[in-house]
Structures are given as C-alpha cells and as structure tokens.
Amino acid sequence: MEYMILWFFFVVSLISIFFWIRKQPIKDWIIVFFLKAFLSGFVDSFIVAYKLLEYPVRPLPEVFQIQISFDLMVFPSLCVFYNQTSYNSGFKGILLQAILYSLPMSAIEYWGVKNTRLIVYHHWNIGMTFLFLVITFLMVRGIIALIRKYSKP
C-alpha cells in the first residue's frame, strides 16, 4: 500500500508540471521548483540523520534516507503553485497562502504517520512539519522575489 501511495503522489506531481510550466515566467517556476527541492532534501537529510524521524518505506532505500517522492517532487510542485497564486499578493496574502498550502500537506503527513509505514516520528511532530513547510514556502518566495528584483536589466 505504501508504494502505491508514493507512486500516486509522484505521478500527480509529475502531471502537475505540465500545468505550472505553461504559465509565465517559466524560468521563475523552474528556479522555484529546484530551490524548494534543494531546501527540502537538504533539511530533511539533517532531520533524518539526527533521527528526529525516519522513512521506513521509501524509493531507492539503498541510496536515499529521505523521502525523495515528497522532497523532490511533491513539495516543489506545490511550492510552484503557491508562488504562482501569491505572485501579485501583498505580505498578508503571501503569509496566509503559505499557511493554507501547508495545512493540507501537514494533514496528509499526519495521516501517513497514523496509517502507514511511510513516516515514523521520533522527536518530531506535526507542528514542526507545518512550521517547516510555512518557513520554506516563505523562504523560496522571498528568494525568487530577490532574483526577480536584481535580475531586471
């Protein structure tokens, strides 16, 4: 069952690329996607190394200790949609949307902890996941805003 869940989210994320890649400016969305993937994978590597949580069932377990389906596909795709929907928002809108995008992902993770072997919390909790998501959404949003500001001719 766990591998079916992982494949489902991977395929949905893969399909979502065809939707977000069509919207301009494409280079911004590609930067957002890879930046979020980097941040998620980097931070998750430390979280797993310090045994705050673990992923007993994961793709390529002999290579990765992190949940690559989520860190490298699901979270980055969601972050692109977040950046697209908050593109013209003020600070309140940006913050509110970061919270609104993080809530369902946190709920899905909580469900995964309770009902699957995908995630096991040791010294971690759903609140930390939620906070991590909100902070990384805001960080990526801030970084892409700086890139836009300083890359104009």
Side-chain angles (χ1 to χ4, degrees):
M1 178 175 114
E2 282 85 359
Y3 284 107
M4 287 175 50
I5 293 169
L6 291 175
W7 272 109
F8 171 77
F9 281 109
F10 178 81
V11 169
V12 168
S13 296
L14 197 60
I15 291 169
S16 77
I17 291 171
F18 295 105
F19 292 97
W20 61 253
I21 199 81
R22 297 163 149 195
K23 194 169 182 180
Q24 295 294 328
I26 295 170
K27 69 173 176 49
D28 287 11
W29 312 138
I30 292 170
I31 291 168
V32 165
F33 183 87
F34 285 112
L35 184 57
K36 177 65 170 177
F38 170 77
L39 279 172
S40 294
F42 185 76
V43 172
D44 207 16
S45 294
F46 281 96
I47 291 168
V48 170
Y50 284 103
K51 301 187 185 321
L52 300 176
L53 59 79
E54 68 176 301
Y55 305 106
V57 177
R58 62 188 181 277
L60 305 171
E62 62 282 348
V63 179
F64 297 101
Q65 297 298 310
I66 63 173
Q67 189 57 267
I68 60 172
S69 297
F70 282 85
D71 287 336
L72 304 181
M73 284 299 291
V74 175
F75 294 156
S77 292
L78 194 61
C79 192
V80 171
F81 284 120
Y82 160 71
N83 274 269
Q84 288 178 342
T85 60
S86 68
Y87 188 77
N88 294 314
S89 299
F91 179 73
K92 283 183 183 178
I94 290 167
L95 181 60
L96 179 62
Q97 286 188 52
I99 291 168
L100 291 175
Y101 274 85
S102 299
L103 281 170
M105 287 310 299
S106 298
I108 289 168
E109 181 173 300
Y110 186 74
W111 178 87
V113 168
K114 294 296 182 190
N115 299 297
T116 71
R117 295 181 314 121
L118 291 172
I119 307 161
V120 175
Y121 288 165
H122 295 295
H123 303 287
W124 194 259
N125 62 52
I126 196 65
M128 295 166 114
T129 293
F130 176 75
L131 189 59
F132 168 74
L133 288 171
V134 170
I135 288 170
T136 56
F137 278 143
L138 293 173
M139 281 178 60
V140 171
R141 179 70 168 75
I143 292 168
I144 197 65
L146 287 172
I147 290 170
R148 282 186 196 117
K149 180 178 179 178
Y150 291 108
S151 67
K152 292 190 179 188

